[in-house]
Amino acid sequence: MPDEARERVTGIIADLGGGERIRAHTASELFELVYDQLRRLARRYMGRGRAGHTLQPTALVHEAYLKLVDQTRVNWRGRTHFYAVGIQVMRRLLVDHARAHGRRRRGADWRKVTLCEEMAPIPEAGLGPEELLTLDRALQELGRLDEREARVVELRFFGGMKVPEVAEVLGVSTRAVEDDWTHAKAWLKRELAKAME
């Protein structure tokens, strides 16, 4: 995104953070400016080309964007925060979509999901509804134990954010993010292994 566009996004988001109600033409402008980034995030979540998925990245982006600009209780702290909330909204929408379309038998069509630094945030094949629901349950449990670790996983694994970006969103040091990421990966690996038994 060119610097001029970044500055415009920052300005619009600052207006939203200041409690201003977004006007229709401003909402359209913001959508055009953030669409590509939101679509990349949606594709990471959904994986590329997973067969049989009834929700497309474009539909996810549109639905998530409508929820983002309708936020009245969010004190927007900039572009990174806006995208971080977008990641959260997309996760909720996909989990809701998976629940609405029924559950397959437990363990059917499982694909191994590796939580490591070298991989893309979501495997190319994508997560099926059952895997997404299992991962969501594990993240909710992790959130009850350590909310910040769950947010780190969400932002790093699903959103593809780098450690400094996550640190900025959460208002902590990069070292704290690295420690949370290491601990959360180990915890999730154990929990997901138990769920697959």
Side-chain angles (χ1 to χ4, degrees), residues 136-182:
D136 183 63
R137 284 189 291 271
L139 276 174
Q140 286 180 20
E141 181 60 29
L142 178 59
R144 283 189 276 283
L145 299 171
D146 191 316
E147 185 178 339
R148 191 176 76 196
E149 283 185 11
R151 286 287 288 145
V152 167
V153 171
E154 186 174 56
L155 296 171
R156 296 268 299 135
F157 183 70
F158 289 109
M161 287 186 164
K162 305 285 184 216
V163 169
E165 294 171 317
V166 175
E168 179 186 335
V169 168
L170 299 179
V172 298
S173 70
T174 56
R175 180 70 184 155
V177 171
E178 290 165 349
D179 290 346
D180 288 347
W181 178 238
T182 300

Side-chain angles (χ1 to χ4, degrees), residues 89-132:
V89 168
M90 283 189 248
R91 177 176 163 228
R92 294 278 24 114
L93 289 169
L94 284 173
V95 168
D96 291 346
H97 183 76
R99 285 187 181 126
H101 283 81
R103 302 173 203 267
R104 291 193 295 231
R105 286 182 46 197
R106 195 162 180 75
D109 298 328
W110 278 87
R111 283 179 293 284
K112 184 176 181 178
V113 177
T114 305
L115 296 173
C116 68
E117 298 291 325
E118 295 78 31
M119 66 173 277
I122 293 290
E124 291 296 311
L127 294 175
E130 190 61 34
E131 293 101 336
L132 183 62

Side-chain angles (χ1 to χ4, degrees), residues 2 13 21 26 28 32 47-48 50 64 67 72-73 109 113 115-116 118-119 121 125 130 138 158 174 180 184 194:
I13 291 171
R21 198 76 180 139
T26 307
S28 295
E32 287 177 25
R48 287 184 268 265
R50 187 175 79 70
K67 291 188 180 299
T72 55
R73 296 179 301 206
D109 298 328
V113 177
L115 296 173
C116 68
E118 295 78 31
M119 66 173 277
E130 190 61 34
F158 289 109
T174 56
D180 288 347
K194 282 190 240 177

Side-chain angles (χ1 to χ4, degrees), residues 15-16 20-29:
D15 290 345
L16 288 174
E20 284 190 27
R21 198 76 180 139
I22 193 165
R23 294 186 178 101
H25 74 279
T26 307
S28 295
E29 180 186 4

